[in-house]
């Protein structure tokens, strides 16, 4: 009993009081680009492993960016900078384009989903080629620190009980049928969330020949959560904004 | 701190000669690190990597015609997974292999999961339980087929490959110097381990090895990764036995650890930190990412103190709780003899009396030294205690390592051309055991083969055998205490 009490005493209060605000120290999050003319070096484009960056004008597509920092390292003019800002989810894949002076398109809350799920949302996660980094961060969203259950959001074991499918990984051919089965098992209304560069665009595996993304072209995600992996706060804030949870 | 060995002019032996040499070594209980092959015209070059007692790696290579060769697995079961992979990747016939099942359904077998003939046990009392590929949790996919007699598991077949995304093919398609992000996604929870093996391999191929101080900083990142993931595993074990206080506390301690990694390098998974020729992690904020994060040495020590202190309290509660011991003791046992025979590696092998740890002995041994954690139980309890012991050793080591390396700056060396016609083998003791990266160049210095081996590849069979004669309801804790990587196996 005493042992349990001392563990409890040391535990204290671990939850982040307001997950809606704050920037995790040190995080390589939302990039900010500096306006100006590029030299003709194109070094960032050569260094980018997913062709996420382009010049004239300088832009980064967070649908593809894996936040590896290679562009920052090679840029002679320091025009790219990653900030600790975790909020960067969007309701459109094309809204994930970051330019000098413009950032990710804000999330458009969905009125129908807000009415249904604004106070209780059940999520089923399926990894289809994910490397377990996204999966660990999604699990972390439900730990004692991020505590997404405080908003009535939680993971469930069966797609039958789920309101949304949270997809990670580039969608391997060998998971294509299972992902489809999982989606078909879900009752309506339902929506799809694409988490991580792999799920949004194929990421590092976009040109792999063991990938089958046809499911995504049939069922469009309602929410895109960029990152590699996305920080738990990126995921949580994306959901809160999408469902209009204050 | 790291072992990356380069080989040139590797003799190509005849199959008989090669077999004799490999058999002789294995009979003398030399450790087999890996066995793999690549097509070369109509033939297949089969390479065995053996590690002598002093830690030196030896390469034995044969040129094998498509007809194949007689399997070594019946004599040395630890080779079963390598010969299966060899067959799957090159089409080579492995005659007399007792269990030549797909490893990940790549190549010709791709997409044939639905037709996979699971091993069937006949009898009126037998019932099958099929689980997966989608599991009941936030976890990667894989299909498990249990053959049960009542509630008791008689046999489990694990069918993987759902995560196969073609990593090895992509590694050859891109610029060899910028494979970092791809390598980090071989197994995302082992980003640092794989990135270090890759970087050390490239540095060995270009003849630009990292300085001891740089290797020490990489090892610090690796130990943080180990501590973070061991805590995640323990949180899972605690949750699976219904010990929620343990789950909550191990989980939040992991947060402290991975947030420390993030402040060192910008990512909670150590991503982007280790690259060929550079280690982009600093103690005083890092270049190019805007305002410095200013993580100071006293803060690192304060975090380590907090984790050490709270870990000790929760460990005491967790390991002395009778409910925990009752659930874990004697469940999912792998005997030391079985663990050795099937070639288990890492903490699950050390939980069954193995003393193998690349960080402790041999060319990659740490300086300052790190303690060895080993148990003899071989069950869920032993695997849990080994991780707890490894946590202590790593935390203690981190303190002394930081004393040795108090100043961190981002180093950068421009990477030169790769040595032509060379094979490099890089070994890292990752959180699940030995990570093997083998890279080979052709006569023009271009990469012709990149073999990635995550330790999970060798350990999945251990899980399948551990649950035999156990209650099927004990499978989750067996699975959790093995804590294997699906994507690391599936590539």
């Amino acid at each position: 009993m005493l042992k349990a009490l001392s563990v409890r005493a040391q535990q204290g209060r671990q939850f982040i009081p307001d997950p809606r605000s704050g920037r995790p120290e040190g995080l390589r999050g939302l990039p900010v680009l500096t306006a100006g003319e590029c030299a003709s070096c194109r070094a960032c484009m050569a260094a980018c492993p997913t062709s996420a960056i382009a010049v004239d004008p300088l832009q980064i597509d967070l649908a593809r960016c894996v936040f590896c920092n290679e562009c920052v390292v090679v840029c002679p003019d320091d025009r790219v900078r990653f900030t600790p800002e975790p909020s960067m989810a969007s309701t459109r894949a094309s809204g994930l384009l970051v330019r000098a002076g413009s950032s990710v398109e804000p999330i458009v809350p969905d009125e129908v989903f807000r009415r249904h799920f604004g106070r209780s949302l059940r999520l089923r996660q399926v990894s289809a080629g994910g490397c377990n980094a996204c999966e660990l961060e999604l699990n972390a969203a439900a730990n004692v620190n991020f505590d997404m259950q405080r908003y009535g959001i939680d993971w469930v074991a069966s797609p039958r009980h789920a309101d949304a499918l949270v997809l990670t990984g580039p969608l391997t051919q060998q998971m294509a049928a299972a992902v489809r089965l999982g989606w078909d098992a879900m009752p309506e209304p339902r929506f799809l969330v694409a988490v991580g560069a792999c799920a949004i665009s194929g990421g590092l595996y976009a040109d792999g020949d063991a990938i089958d993304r046809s499911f995504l072209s049939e069922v469009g995600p309602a929410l895109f959560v960029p990152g590699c992996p996305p920080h738990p706060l990126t995921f949580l804030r994306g959901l809160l904004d999408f469902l209009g949870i204050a | 701190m790291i072992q990356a060995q380069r080989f040139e002019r590797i003799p190509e032996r005849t199959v008989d000669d090669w077999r004799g040499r490999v058999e002789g070594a294995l009979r003398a209980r030399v450790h087999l690190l890996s066995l793999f092959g690549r097509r070369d015209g109509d033939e297949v070059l089969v390479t065995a990597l053996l590690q002598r007692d002093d830690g030196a790696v030896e390469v034995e290579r044969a040129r094998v015609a498509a007809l194949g060769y007689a399997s070594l697995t019946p004599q040395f079961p630890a080779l079963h997974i390598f010969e299966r992979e060899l067959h799957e990747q090159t089409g080579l016939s492995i005659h007399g292999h007792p269990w030549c099942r797909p490893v990940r359904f790549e190549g010709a077998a791709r997409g044939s999961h639905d037709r996979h003939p699971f091993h069937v046990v006949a009898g009126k009392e037998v019932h099958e339980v099929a689980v997966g590929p989608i599991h009941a949790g936030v976890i990667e996919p894989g299909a498990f087929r249990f053959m049960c007699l009542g509630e008791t598991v008689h046999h489990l077949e694990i069918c993987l490959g759902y995560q196969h995304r073609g990593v090895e093919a992509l590694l050859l398609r891109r610029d060899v110097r910028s494979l970092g992000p791809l390598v980090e996604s071989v197994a995302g929870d082992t980003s640092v381990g794989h990135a270090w093996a890759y970087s050390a391999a490239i540095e060995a191929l270009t003849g630009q090895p990292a300085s001891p101080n740089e290797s020490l900083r990489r090892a610090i990142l690796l130990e943080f990764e180990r501590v973070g993931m061991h805590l995640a595993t323990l949180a899972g074990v605690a949750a699976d036995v219904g010990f929620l206080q343990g789950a909550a506390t191990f989980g939040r301690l992991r947060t402290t650890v991975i947030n420390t990694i993030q402040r060192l390098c910008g990512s909670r998974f150590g991503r982007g930190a280790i690259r060929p020729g550079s280690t982009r992690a600093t103690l005083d904020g890092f270049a190019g990412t805007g305002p410095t994060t200013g993580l100071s040495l006293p803060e690192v020590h304060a975090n380590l103190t907090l984790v050490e202190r709270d870990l000790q309290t929760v460990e005491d509660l967790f390991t002395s709780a009778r409910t925990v011991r009752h659930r874990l003791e004697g469940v999912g046992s792998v005997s030391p003899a079985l663990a050795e025979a099937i070639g288990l590696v890492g903490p699950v092998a050390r939980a069954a009396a193995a003393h193998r740890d690349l960080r402790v002995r041999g060319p990659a041994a740490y300086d300052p030294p790190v303690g060895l954690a080993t148990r003899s139980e071989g069950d869920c309890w032993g695997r849990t205690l080994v991780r707890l012991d490894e946590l202590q050793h790593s935390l203690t080591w981190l303190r002394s390592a930081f004393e040795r390396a108090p100043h961190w700056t981002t180093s950068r060396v421009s990477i030169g051309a790769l040595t032509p016609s060379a094979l490099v083998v890089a070994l890292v003791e990752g959180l699940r055991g030995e990570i093997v990266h083998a890279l080979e160049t052709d006569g023009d210095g271009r990469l012709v083969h990149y073999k990635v081996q995550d330790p999970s590849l060798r350990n999945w069979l251990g899980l399948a055998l551990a649950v035999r004669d156990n209650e099927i309801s004990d499978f989750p804790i067996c699975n959790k205490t093995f804590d294997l990587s699906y994507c690391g196996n599936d590539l």
Side-chain angles (χ1 to χ4, degrees), chain A residues 3-4 6-8 10-11 14 24-28 49 66 68-70 72-74 80-82 124-133 135-140 143-146 155 157 170 172-175 178-179 182 204-205 207-211 228-229 231-232, chain B residues 104-105 109-111 113 133-141 161-167 170 173-174 181-182 185 187-189 229 245 248-249 252 254-255 262-263 265-269 271-272 275 280 286 288-291 293 309-310 313-314 316-317 320 412 432 487:
Chain A
K3 286 178 185 174
S6 49
V7 169
R8 183 66 195 87
Q10 282 180 349
Q11 184 81 349
Q14 291 293 329
E25 276 183 299
L27 172 71
R28 199 153 56 234
V66 291
C68 64
N69 213 35
E70 301 293 339
V72 174
V73 172
V74 298
V80 186
R81 187 164 65 84
F82 284 91
R124 171 65 242 205
Q125 199 273 330
V126 174
S127 171
C131 70
N132 203 29
E135 292 76 2
L136 280 165
E137 289 298 57
L138 290 173
N139 261 322
N143 71 13
V144 292
N145 306 106
F146 298 102
W155 301 109
T172 57
Q173 278 179 10
Q174 303 197 127
M175 269 304 280
V179 170
L204 291 158
Y205 298 95
D207 59 340
D209 45 20
I211 303 301
C228 189
H231 192 276
Chain B
R104 56 181 79 93
F105 293 81
R110 195 193 295 163
H113 270 98
I134 300 181
H135 297 198
V138 184
I139 187 174
E140 297 176 70
Y162 294 94
Q163 297 284 67
H164 177 60
R165 54 221 184 276
V167 172
L170 287 172
R173 218 183 276 174
R174 297 183 183 158
L182 196 57
S185 73
D189 46 32
M229 274 310 290
Q245 219 178 357
T249 303
R252 63 100 175 165
R254 170 174 183 260
T255 304
Q262 175 173 279
R263 290 189 66 188
C265 73
S267 158
R268 305 212 306 166
F269 292 78
R271 292 199 161 174
R275 292 290 180 264
R280 299 169 192 163
F286 35 97
T289 50
T293 54
R309 187 199 67 180
D310 292 8
T313 319
V314 70
D316 189 20
L317 174 71
S320 62
R412 191 158 184 223
R432 293 191 182 90
C487 54

Side-chain angles (χ1 to χ4, degrees), chain A residues 33-227:
Chain A
L33 308 178
T34 316
E37 284 291 303
C38 265
S40 58
C41 67
R42 305 286 185 273
C44 57
M45 292 173 68
C48 183
T50 54
S51 309
I53 196 163
V55 296
D56 300 328
L58 185 62
Q59 58 182 42
I60 295 184
D61 186 358
L62 298 190
R64 287 189 288 216
C65 180
V66 291
F67 297 78
C68 64
N69 213 35
E70 301 293 339
C71 50
V72 174
V73 172
V74 298
C75 180
D77 300 326
D78 294 332
R79 292 194 62 200
V80 186
R81 187 164 65 84
F82 284 91
T83 71
E85 175 56 55
S87 299
M88 51 181 146
S90 187
T91 28
R92 290 199 312 159
S94 57
L96 295 172
L97 213 56
V98 172
R99 294 201 173 99
S102 79
S103 192
V104 171
E105 193 176 88
I107 286 175
V108 183
D110 187 291
E111 186 47 34
V112 175
F113 291 139
R114 186 194 64 77
R115 232 179 25 245
H116 282 285
F117 307 130
R119 294 166 61 184
S120 168
L121 176 72
R122 290 294 174 269
L123 305 168
R124 171 65 242 205
Q125 199 273 330
V126 174
S127 171
C131 70
N132 203 29
C134 282
E135 292 76 2
L136 280 165
E137 289 298 57
L138 290 173
N139 261 322
N143 71 13
V144 292
N145 306 106
F146 298 102
D147 186 26
M148 68 177 185
Q149 295 91 331
R150 73 179 93 174
Y151 298 104
I153 307 171
D154 207 353
W155 301 109
V156 287
S158 167
R160 290 251 189 253
H161 305 154
D163 308 313
L165 184 70
V166 178
L167 197 63
T168 56
L171 267 96
T172 57
Q173 278 179 10
Q174 303 197 127
M175 269 304 280
V179 170
R180 167 62 73 179
L181 265 177
W183 177 253
D184 287 347
M186 287 170 57
E188 292 185 0
R190 59 188 173 180
F191 63 93
L192 181 66
V193 184
V195 170
C198 283
I200 299 174
S201 68
L204 291 158
Y205 298 95
D207 59 340
D209 45 20
I211 303 301
D212 175 1
R213 295 176 56 78
S214 55
F215 171 76
L216 279 171
S217 48
E218 287 167 48
V219 181
L223 184 64
F224 300 86
V225 185

Side-chain angles (χ1 to χ4, degrees), chain B residues 291-305:
Chain B
T292 58
T293 54
L295 184 66
S296 62
L297 197 55
E299 281 178 290
V300 171
H301 280 298
N303 287 356
L304 288 174
T305 304

